[in-house]
Amino acid sequence: MKNAIQEIAKAMHHTDPESSFAVRFWDDDVFQIGDKPAFTLWFKEKEAASKTLADGFLGFGEAYMTGMLDVEGDMQLLFKLGFRVGYTEYKMSWKAKLNILVQYFLNQNTLKGSKKNISHHYDVGNDFYERLLGPTMAYTCAYYKDPNNTLEEAQTNKFDLVCRKLRLQEGETIADLGCGWGGFLIYAAQNYGITGVGVTVSREQVEYANRRIASLGLQDKIRVELKDYRDVEGVFDKVVSIGMLEHVGLKFLPVFFDKVKQILKPGSLGLIHLVGNDELHKADPWTDKYIFPGAQVLDITNIIGGICKKKMNVIDVDNLRMNYELTLFHWLDNFNANIDWIREHYDEEFARRYYLYFQVSAASFRYGENRLFHVLFSNGLKNDMPLTREYMYQ
């Protein structure tokens, strides 16, 4: 088993000969590459090594969550090297494959399944998300006009960029599909004079958003409803979805775009903000089991195809990938600043699970397959759009 781990370590080093790191085993035997290790991967128990070898990142993640495995030092370098040797593609044991298959069928994004899947992640307590996300309560990629922007500044930049891409005008109506805690709706109402409705299947998000809307005196302009996107009714001047398409999945993508086509006025604009890939990949089993049940990162080809098949017209595609790395590092800073509170109100396994998720997610945008797409489209041809993209950034 040690030999197998050492061979993987050698392969990782081969992808970056300047790297220096160490592997520490359960018997305190150390395998070191280079003079000054940037990180030490510590298998505290023999089982942690066997799980990592047998089940890839699923086994690694489970061992890390339970404390059987630890990483001392630069975890980003570990994941950089891991992505380069394709650690997410390592073969898994038949038992892990069976578990993944069971999870797949249990986590289908039906009307009932979506509510269960969303509740798993988003209904863990608004106090936690307030500490993690800050005043905007935006749990999606921010937009950094300057790398030194604070998280609040960058999230506000994101809200405004979406408003400008949609060419929002005072008095227009907007539907926000998967609106989270209502941050975008609030910003658009305050700064662009829109009216609208947001929907989410998280009860805690609905209660929080509507309290905040009322406290700002915006209840006559916007509201958030406990409702699946499939149940939205009416027709709107604009439709937006910021960070929800990841929870739809390929199977239900035609259903999603059917609904968008139905509620978006002909000739009007819609925008989708989503984590995507260049090519379609299988869902990561650890993330599916422990972080976002039922979630699927879709490829840009299926997104564009899904829009076009409904006779809607793609206007602009933007890849803001590196903005998400910065966002995740800001969330990690907030997470670490509140680690004692998190451990007190949840437990050590919860804390390690989220810490690992933020770390590997940040690495996935710099070194892996993850992208952050803005896709702007219209319901049918729209011939009065500006000839350049300057309007988006002025």
Side-chain angles (χ1 to χ4, degrees), residues 295-328:
Q296 184 178 14
V297 177
L298 300 175
D299 61 301
I300 190 63
T301 300
N302 273 302
I303 300 301
I304 299 299
I307 293 170
C308 296
K309 286 175 183 177
K310 302 304 176 184
K311 305 301 181 185
M312 296 188 288
N313 180 41
V314 174
I315 294 173
D316 186 83
V317 179
D318 204 354
N319 185 355
L320 304 174
R321 175 174 64 95
M322 295 306 293
N323 285 271
Y324 219 151
E325 183 196 42
L326 292 172
T327 306
L328 283 153

Side-chain angles (χ1 to χ4, degrees), residues 333-351:
D333 287 343
N334 289 344
F335 185 88
N336 290 330
N338 287 278
I339 190 63
D340 291 338
W341 182 92
I342 292 167
R343 286 171 173 152
E344 179 184 349
H345 287 79
Y346 298 92
D347 56 34
E348 183 66 18
E349 185 172 311
F350 178 94

Side-chain angles (χ1 to χ4, degrees), residues 3 5 29 47 82 90 155 157 182 202 237 253 256 302 314 323 372 390:
N3 288 338
I5 295 289
D29 189 16
E47 184 183 352
Y90 272 88
Q155 290 291 13
N157 292 344
S202 164
D237 294 307
L253 194 61
F256 175 84
N302 273 302
V314 174
N323 285 271
L372 193 287
E390 291 182 16

Side-chain angles (χ1 to χ4, degrees), residues 233-277:
E233 297 178 345
V235 179
F236 299 85
D237 294 307
K238 305 287 167 64
V239 172
V240 68
S241 179
I242 303 176
M244 190 200 76
L245 205 65
E246 298 90 322
H247 300 288
V248 170
L250 186 61
K251 178 180 178 180
F252 292 96
L253 194 61
V255 177
F256 175 84
F257 284 123
D258 271 336
K259 176 55 65 173
V260 172
K261 174 80 173 180
Q262 176 190 337
I263 65 176
L264 180 60
K265 283 184 179 179
S268 293
L269 295 173
L271 185 140
I272 300 169
H273 164 127
L274 76 148
V275 176
N277 289 163

Side-chain angles (χ1 to χ4, degrees), residues 191-205:
N191 294 277
Y192 286 81
I194 58 91
T195 61
V197 60
V199 296
T200 171
V201 291
S202 164
R203 187 173 298 279
E204 291 196 21
Q205 287 182 336

Side-chain angles (χ1 to χ4, degrees), residues 90-383:
Y90 272 88
K91 294 181 180 179
M92 288 183 286
S93 65
W94 67 267
K95 184 178 180 181
K97 290 179 179 178
L98 180 61
N99 183 268
I100 290 168
L101 185 63
V102 171
Q103 291 295 320
Y104 171 79
F105 286 109
L106 290 176
N107 295 336
Q108 290 287 296
N109 286 311
T110 60
L111 282 166
K112 183 178 180 181
S114 287
K115 186 173 292 187
K116 173 180 69 70
N117 291 338
I118 293 299
S119 180
H120 173 90
H121 190 88
Y122 295 96
D123 288 341
V124 301
N126 288 326
D127 288 347
F128 170 71
Y129 285 110
E130 283 182 319
R131 287 169 168 78
L132 178 69
L133 305 178
T136 63
M137 288 295 280
Y139 198 21
T140 49
C141 177
Y143 179 58
Y144 291 80
K145 292 183 180 181
D146 184 313
N148 295 314
N149 283 151
T150 65
L151 178 61
E152 183 176 3
E153 288 170 340
Q155 290 291 13
T156 302
N157 292 344
K158 185 266 300 295
F159 290 155
D160 199 62
L161 178 63
V162 172
C163 290
R164 282 182 277 120
K165 287 186 174 185
L166 285 168
R167 304 182 73 196
L168 284 187
Q169 304 294 320
E170 186 171 356
E172 286 187 326
T173 58
I174 188 168
D176 186 350
L177 308 181
C179 65
W181 291 269
F184 172 77
L185 271 179
I186 289 170
Y187 181 87
Q190 289 179 322
N191 294 277
Y192 286 81
I194 58 91
T195 61
V197 60
V199 296
T200 171
V201 291
S202 164
R203 187 173 298 279
E204 291 196 21
Q205 287 182 336
V206 171
E207 293 172 355
Y208 183 97
N210 283 322
R211 282 199 306 270
R212 189 174 173 209
I213 288 168
S215 71
L216 295 170
L218 297 171
Q219 63 271 25
D220 294 332
K221 297 177 70 68
I222 55 175
R223 68 185 186 280
V224 172
E225 298 179 350
L226 185 65
K227 182 179 291 185
D228 191 279
Y229 71 90
R230 286 163 280 207
D231 293 328
V232 175
E233 297 178 345
V235 179
F236 299 85
D237 294 307
K238 305 287 167 64
V239 172
V240 68
S241 179
I242 303 176
M244 190 200 76
L245 205 65
E246 298 90 322
H247 300 288
V248 170
L250 186 61
K251 178 180 178 180
F252 292 96
L253 194 61
V255 177
F256 175 84
F257 284 123
D258 271 336
K259 176 55 65 173
V260 172
K261 174 80 173 180
Q262 176 190 337
I263 65 176
L264 180 60
K265 283 184 179 179
S268 293
L269 295 173
L271 185 140
I272 300 169
H273 164 127
L274 76 148
V275 176
N277 289 163
D278 296 332
E279 299 177 296
L280 188 64
H281 298 280
K282 294 179 181 178
D284 170 61
W286 181 79
T287 305
D288 184 61
K289 185 175 181 179
Y290 293 103
I291 304 296
F292 289 121
Q296 184 178 14
V297 177
L298 300 175
D299 61 301
I300 190 63
T301 300
N302 273 302
I303 300 301
I304 299 299
I307 293 170
C308 296
K309 286 175 183 177
K310 302 304 176 184
K311 305 301 181 185
M312 296 188 288
N313 180 41
V314 174
I315 294 173
D316 186 83
V317 179
D318 204 354
N319 185 355
L320 304 174
R321 175 174 64 95
M322 295 306 293
N323 285 271
Y324 219 151
E325 183 196 42
L326 292 172
T327 306
L328 283 153
F329 285 151
H330 266 133
W331 291 343
L332 270 168
D333 287 343
N334 289 344
F335 185 88
N336 290 330
N338 287 278
I339 190 63
D340 291 338
W341 182 92
I342 292 167
R343 286 171 173 152
E344 179 184 349
H345 287 79
Y346 298 92
D347 56 34
E348 183 66 18
E349 185 172 311
F350 178 94
R352 292 177 70 86
R353 181 168 79 238
Y354 273 81
Y355 182 79
L356 177 62
Y357 168 64
F358 294 138
Q359 284 280 3
V360 74
S361 294
S364 75
F365 284 97
R366 177 172 287 270
Y367 307 113
E369 301 290 338
N370 277 352
R371 314 288 182 254
L372 193 287
F373 294 119
H374 275 190
V375 183
L376 180 69
F377 59 93
S378 58
N379 187 1
L381 292 178
K382 185 171 179 59
N383 295 329

